[in-house]
Amino acid sequence: MNEQAKQFKFVGTRPIRPDGVDKVTGRAMYGADLTLPGMLEGKVVRSPHAHARIKSIDTSKAEALNGVKSVVTAADMPEAESKPVAAGEAMINFRDLAENVIARHKVFYEGQTVAAVAATSNEIAERAAALIEVEYEVLPHVIDVLDAMKDDAPVLHDHIFTGGVTPKPEKPSNVANRVEFALGDIDAGFAAADIVIERKFTTEPVHQAYIEPHAVVADMGPDGKADVWCSSQGHFMVRSFCAGLLKIEMSKIKVSAAEIGGGFGGKTTVYLEPLAIMLSRKAGRPVRMVMSREEIFRASGPTSGAAMTIKIGATKDGRITAGDATLCLQAGAFPGSPVGPAAMTAFAPYDLENVRVVGFDVVSNRPKVVAYRAPGAPISEYAVESVVDELASELGLDPIEFRAKNGAKEGTQAAYGVKFGTIGMQETLEAAKATEHYKIPLGPNQGRGVATGFWFNIGGESCAGIRINEDGSVSLTEGSPDIGGSRASMAIMAAEVLGIDVAKIKPSVVDTDATGYHFVTGGSRVTFATGMAVVDASKAAIDELRARAAKIWDVDVDGVVWEDGHAKPASTNVGDFEPMSLAEIAAIANKTGGPISGHADINAKGAGPGFGTHICDVEVDPDTGFVTVLRYTAVQDVGRAIHPSYVEGQLQGGAAQGIGWALNEAYMYDEDGKLENAGFLDYRVPVASDLPMIDTILVEIPNPTHPFGVRGVGEVPIIPPLAAVNNAVAAATGVRFTALPLSPPAILAGTGAGD
Amino acid sequence: MAKQHITTTINGEEAEYLCEAQETLLDVLRDQVGLTGTKEGCSSGDCGACSVMLDGRLVCSCLVLGVEAEGKTVETIEGMADGEELHPLQQKFLEEAALQCGFCTPGVLVAAKALLDVNDDPTETEVRYWLAGNLCRCTGYDKIIRAVMDTAADLRGASA
Ligand code: FES
Ligand code: FES
């Protein structure tokens, strides 16, 4: 049965989120908020070098310090085997994950963990960490992606030979992988073009910069069972990574999801958790570990920086004939940049006959990148959307009309393989064009930029349980950490299906012992996939409620229907019975067979692709090069907004992060390969006074495979801002910039005003 | 080093704790007093997650020493609601979904209340600059700014 055609009672409303009061009163418990009796504090010893061989580690002085209860080095950890595992949307090698958690023979970036200690106080743990003596043989390092690809670059890993090329190379290389997606014949496409524009772009690595630091409390008893409490985007991910790294059975590790203070992809892997378990195992006491902000910048995240070449051809009347892209993405110290999704999404907003995208996954002496909201897509689409905009202006066409003319629609074959079903690319363009914003006249030194964005969205494993309590209230269990209001949308969907008030439903994110495996909260999948599980579980509970009513009325279950929260006879043929409410059936459940519940364990398929179009107005100060964002509108096809406020919030938050990426944020290294700006003072994320209001328009083109039409919404909004800002700056200054961030010195250098 | 004995007032109640000279008020609140609603996002004064009121002044508790609270009054997020009665800002943040992960929220609320205590009719720009020390990575600030301004309007309406 498809629910899409119905009128909704709760879907699309804006109730107060179930976890809200806890979060405005300080009661909500995040990763670092748990204290257990006898708990120790753990600290990490990190590499001061960008690239070095570890010659020896002497922990004796630290161990002798009063108050130190355990010390861990790689020697304490089992050797990990080489095998691919999913980390968010990317694939990584398990052995690399182990090395990233704690270095064994070499360190590959400044900040990599080499040892960990647990002591009775933070202060003692810090002193102990300083007493651990590590002898290094410093090796030459390489930071920049293009430098790392050179033949004479220092090679990080002797076992990496570029994958995806034949024949297999003879020499190891920092280029871990080559990917290619192609469609049609680009040479013929460029030959048919009246105008061809080719540009080289660079972007810098940027950090997810969630405000909550990574934090964990682990407690392993003498029976070898571990309880872990941490904030992550997937406590099942934490369980499976810890079990694999420490060679412990999964059933012996219970992970509870603390409230999570932001992740944006950055909490889809483990850093501290396996160390905390090991420290606890050795000490026989619970251990808490919390990263400092400096550690977060040096050793977790960020996403890739990139060097790219984009070439696009078009006819005079505005039809794109071919697109060609080469994308080189930094992976950090180990392979696994999001170059795959970057390549797949690069031209996906467009209906093109001739496309080629080649991508390279490149390691260098930086922290291993991890997912950041639509991993890879903001990078490649920034470059493509900047050239698309330049083409439109060279051809004298309105940038929205040019995009609409070439935009993907139902039936478009994307170069990465899929044929699009029902999508909303054209509708977001139309809605953007119709805004007041698009018509507001601009003043001197002001410019307007437009850009679109595409993200696949994903499904994956999710589970849900609906328990009908004796009083007719409902307990809803699932296992997707709630990063921005997902409990609210789960409750709304369950209420809609069950036909009872949303306030009657209490959703909980339960631990790994209490529900089945869930893929991480990532890929914009939770409201879609976990939502589907909730709908299925609610329907299963309804089937049971109907069966109970049938029993009470002594009729066949097919003779009972469920409407508005009541069991009713399907027709007068069944008999003349008063409808029974959910609460009435629940009250006598003990007489009809016992507790009533419904469960669903699914692997959701059919995530609907998401498209968005953003409009950005800027003013560029010609003297200082400072860019002010004056107005901003984000339009997106969201399928169906279950709780529109939190959907708008996703659009606004993603836009703000994208603006930060475009204007301020970047990792900066000194010549020794050390990060120079590992703090919020020097790595500047947008603050309230940097931004205008961010207007949102929710376009609803329902995803046909979801019962309510949901599409993922969390990732698309970070994609368009990079090019929207860049294109606005081009309109304001007359200069096409090809490097991010657009910092004042970069602007002045580009406009020549700084000379 | 011997710990120091501190007597202070936290959320209207007299409180005592022992703390080391170098311990921050943030660590004392979280680890000694058990008030974990005040968050640590950076411990360098750059994120505002640790915002509290010290003798009526908005401070980053990570930049204040625990011993400095001697004889003073400290107000944290835990003291903002009156029992089950939420402060109008808290209520408005819920109604307008001015939080996503909620980690910045305690600090933002404490700072926003400090603003409304001195300015009952702030402009959007005033709210933005007042809250510029409170990082939020989730919301893009839009709903936060609106919730603060709407609360101010409600409070003005109520007192008019
Ligand atoms: S923790 Fe105090 S300002 Fe960030
Ligand atoms: S709501 Fe997550 S940091 Fe503000």
Side-chain angles (χ1 to χ4, degrees):
Chain A
M1 179 184 67
N2 195 317
E3 314 270 339
Q4 291 186 5
K6 284 195 202 156
Q7 283 298 313
F8 298 124
K9 212 165 158 190
F10 300 106
V11 166
T13 63
R14 305 175 186 237
I16 285 177
R17 61 198 275 177
D19 51 332
V21 172
D22 279 354
K23 285 181 177 162
V24 297
T25 55
R27 287 171 45 86
M29 297 272 290
Y30 293 81
D33 295 342
L34 182 70
T35 304
L36 294 178
M39 187 175 80
L40 305 172
E41 304 284 352
K43 289 273 176 255
V44 165
V45 179
R46 297 184 182 279
S47 164
H49 303 296
H51 194 192
R53 204 174 305 285
I54 299 172
K55 292 171 74 180
S56 66
I57 304 179
D58 182 354
T59 60
S60 55
K61 284 191 190 134
E63 275 163 292
L65 187 69
N66 204 4
V68 172
K69 299 298 173 186
S70 58
V71 177
V72 165
T73 67
D76 295 292
M77 310 288 271
E79 288 261 7
E81 71 246 55
S82 172
K83 67 170 183 198
V85 290
E89 288 110 330
M91 294 302 282
I92 56 165
N93 186 302
F94 209 70
R95 190 189 45 214
D96 296 338
L97 177 68
E99 290 263 344
N100 201 39
V101 166
I102 192 161
R104 202 169 275 278
H105 306 296
K106 266 174 90 175
V107 288
F108 297 99
Y109 59 93
E110 184 222 10
Q112 192 176 351
T113 299
V114 289
V117 347
T120 50
S121 74
N122 271 316
E123 200 243 317
I124 296 172
E126 259 161 37
R127 277 200 282 144
L131 288 174
I132 291 177
E133 290 167 357
V134 187
E135 209 185 324
Y136 295 99
E137 175 195 340
V138 177
L139 301 169
H141 68 274
V142 59
I143 295 292
D144 181 71
V145 60
L146 293 179
D147 290 345
M149 294 175 81
K150 288 183 183 147
D151 271 346
D152 59 350
V155 170
L156 273 69
H157 305 277
D158 294 337
H159 61 269
I160 292 181
F161 298 82
T162 309
V165 295
T166 42
K168 183 185 168 184
E170 282 160 18
K171 271 183 22 189
S173 158
N174 292 326
V175 182
N177 228 327
R178 177 187 186 278
V179 295
E180 178 169 344
F181 298 95
L183 192 69
D185 176 349
I186 54 163
D187 293 333
F190 284 120
D194 298 314
I195 173 171
V196 174
I197 294 179
E198 180 173 340
R199 296 263 174 267
K200 288 186 189 310
F201 293 89
T202 59
T203 67
E204 296 299 319
V206 296
H207 200 275
Q208 296 80 352
Y210 29 81
I211 310 298
E212 182 203 24
H214 295 267
V216 56
V217 177
D219 186 13
M220 184 176 241
D223 58 359
K225 295 198 194 101
D227 276 352
V228 180
W229 159 274
C230 63
S231 76
S232 78
Q233 285 175 252
H235 42 316
F236 285 89
M237 172 279 297
V238 172
R239 183 181 74 169
S240 85
F241 282 1
C242 289
L245 291 171
L246 303 175
K247 302 220 184 334
I248 302 172
E249 273 179 21
M250 286 186 190
S251 62
K252 294 203 169 132
I253 304 178
K254 180 178 94 177
V255 188
S256 305
E259 295 304 330
I260 170 168
F264 315 111
K267 292 177 183 168
T268 55
T269 189
V270 292
Y271 298 103
L272 300 174
E273 295 83 352
L275 301 173
I277 295 176
M278 280 305 290
L279 287 168
S280 172
R281 172 193 259 175
K282 285 184 90 173
R285 287 167 66 168
V287 173
R288 174 166 64 188
M289 301 181 84
V290 183
M291 274 198 205
S292 69
R293 182 55 53 181
E294 188 181 334
E295 290 179 290
I296 295 171
F297 277 114
R298 286 193 205 284
S300 76
T303 191
S304 306
M308 302 173 278
T309 306
I310 307 291
K311 182 177 168 189
I312 306 180
T315 57
K316 277 203 225 56
D317 62 349
R319 179 70 204 155
I320 297 178
T321 57
D324 188 13
T326 304
L327 315 172
C328 306
L329 263 66
Q330 296 159 356
F334 304 99
S337 76
V339 70
M344 290 157 81
T345 55
F347 289 107
Y350 298 104
D351 186 356
L352 304 185
E353 278 170 28
N354 308 300
V355 182
R356 182 180 65 184
V357 187
V358 176
F360 297 96
D361 183 27
V362 184
V363 297
S364 66
N365 296 108
R366 296 168 173 265
K368 166 72 181 74
V369 303
V370 67
Y372 180 25
R373 225 168 176 164
I379 299 169
S380 62
E381 294 187 52
Y382 145 71
V384 168
E385 283 296 284
S386 296
V387 175
V388 164
D389 199 75
E390 188 175 352
L391 274 170
S393 89
E394 288 296 316
L395 291 168
L397 297 170
D398 173 85
I400 293 184
E401 273 168 32
F402 181 59
R403 285 175 170 85
K405 189 163 191 164
N406 294 284
K409 38 193 163 321
E410 185 159 354
T412 291
Q413 175 67 54
Y416 71 89
V418 311
K419 214 179 213 67
F420 289 128
T422 318
I423 55 169
M425 165 80 176
Q426 297 289 342
E427 287 81 353
T428 69
L429 289 166
E430 278 161 31
K433 184 123 204 252
T435 54
E436 279 308 304
H437 177 172
Y438 200 59
K439 302 177 188 84
I440 296 172
L442 294 167
N445 301 316
Q446 298 183 354
R448 175 165 299 145
V450 172
T452 60
F454 157 80
W455 185 247
F456 332 89
N457 298 321
I458 62 167
E461 299 99 318
S462 282
C463 308
I466 293 278
R467 273 177 294 115
I468 314 285
N469 301 318
E470 306 91 281
D471 61 355
S473 65
V474 171
S475 302
L476 189 174
T477 55
E478 43 102 356
S480 291
D482 180 352
I483 205 157
S486 60
R487 285 185 190 87
S489 43
M490 298 306 144
I492 289 172
M493 286 185 270
E496 191 73 53
V497 178
L498 291 169
I500 61 170
D501 193 81
V502 66
K504 286 256 177 231
I505 297 172
K506 185 189 167 215
S508 301
V509 178
V510 296
D511 67 57
T512 52
D513 281 356
T515 182
Y517 177 81
H518 287 62
F519 193 65
V520 290
T521 293
S524 300
R525 65 170 222 96
V526 169
T527 306
F528 170 72
T530 308
M532 255 174 158
V534 166
V535 169
D536 287 356
S538 303
K539 288 181 178 169
I542 288 172
D543 286 345
E544 187 58 26
L545 289 158
R546 284 171 53 233
R548 300 300 176 90
K551 202 165 177 184
I552 295 163
W553 295 335
D554 196 19
V555 300
D556 195 85
V557 65
D558 294 337
V560 181
V561 293
W562 190 261
E563 275 173 28
D564 288 335
H566 289 74
K568 296 176 184 170
S571 71
T572 46
N573 295 342
V574 176
D576 190 15
F577 303 106
E578 273 299 299
M580 284 189 83
S581 71
L582 179 143
E584 285 165 338
I585 300 171
I588 52 169
N590 61 338
K591 299 198 185 69
T592 59
I596 299 172
S597 65
H599 299 271
D601 300 333
I602 66 167
N603 189 355
K605 304 274 182 236
F611 291 85
T613 299
H614 291 196
I615 312 168
C616 173
D617 291 359
V618 301
E619 180 167 324
V620 182
D621 185 321
D623 297 324
T624 64
F626 187 81
V627 178
T628 305
V629 179
L630 301 172
R631 279 174 220 98
Y632 203 95
T633 302
V635 186
Q636 188 173 324
D637 171 20
V638 301
R640 175 89 64 204
I642 301 295
H643 190 308
S645 299
Y646 289 102
V647 175
E648 293 160 3
Q650 288 295 319
L651 270 56
Q652 291 163 335
Q657 286 181 321
I659 291 168
W661 198 333
L663 291 179
N664 305 330
E665 298 179 34
Y667 265 45
M668 298 190 304
Y669 282 87
D670 71 10
E671 56 189 30
D672 294 328
K674 297 184 184 179
L675 183 62
E676 291 187 302
N677 58 335
F680 277 139
L681 194 60
D682 300 317
Y683 182 100
R684 195 166 182 284
V685 305
V687 305
S689 54
D690 292 338
L691 296 172
M693 291 298 185
I694 295 166
D695 290 338
T696 59
I697 297 175
L698 308 184
V699 174
E700 295 191 312
I701 311 290
N703 170 12
T705 55
H706 186 276
F708 296 119
V710 166
R711 292 174 197 275
V713 297
E715 289 173 293
V716 170
I718 199 174
I719 301 168
L722 285 65
V725 172
N726 199 40
N727 295 339
V729 168
T733 60
V735 180
R736 292 270 165 195
F737 289 86
T738 55
L740 298 183
L742 294 162
S743 61
I747 298 273
L748 290 183
T751 56
D755 303 343
Chain B
M1 202 181 356
K3 293 193 177 186
Q4 311 217 21
H5 177 248
I6 304 299
T7 307
T8 177
T9 304
I10 302 177
N11 297 329
E13 282 180 27
E14 188 162 304
E16 294 175 79
Y17 52 81
L18 294 175
C19 80
E20 313 252 2
Q22 78 281 5
E23 247 177 309
T24 65
L25 178 60
L26 174 62
D27 287 343
V28 167
L29 286 171
R30 291 179 51 82
D31 296 337
Q32 316 271 2
V33 187
L35 294 175
T36 55
T38 304
K39 300 301 180 200
E40 175 174 332
C42 69
S43 77
S44 56
D46 298 313
C47 78
C50 65
S51 300
V52 302
M53 301 299 286
L54 183 65
D55 266 0
R57 212 162 51 89
L58 179 64
V59 296
C60 292
S61 61
C62 70
L63 298 183
V64 175
L65 293 173
V67 295
E68 290 181 77
E70 171 68 36
K72 300 199 170 137
T73 61
V74 180
E75 288 159 78
T76 72
I77 185 66
E78 286 92 345
M80 198 159 164
D82 183 7
E84 284 191 8
E85 181 88 17
L86 295 181
H87 184 277
L89 274 165
Q90 293 172 309
Q91 186 62 33
K92 192 64 80 184
F93 268 53
L94 291 179
E95 285 164 9
E96 300 192 358
L99 59 147
Q100 281 177 36
C101 78
F103 195 79
C104 68
T105 309
V108 169
L109 284 168
V110 168
K113 179 171 179 289
L115 169 64
L116 298 193
D117 286 348
V118 295
N119 181 352
D120 70 351
D121 192 8
T123 63
E124 180 189 330
T125 304
E126 284 171 331
V127 178
R128 287 189 179 276
Y129 277 90
W130 185 277
L131 293 180
N134 291 83
L135 299 184
C136 173
R137 190 61 158 170
C138 297
T139 63
Y141 304 103
D142 183 297
K143 291 186 191 302
I144 292 177
I145 305 300
R146 287 179 203 275
V148 173
M149 297 187 67
D150 290 349
T151 308
D154 284 358
L155 291 174
R156 288 195 306 276
S159 64

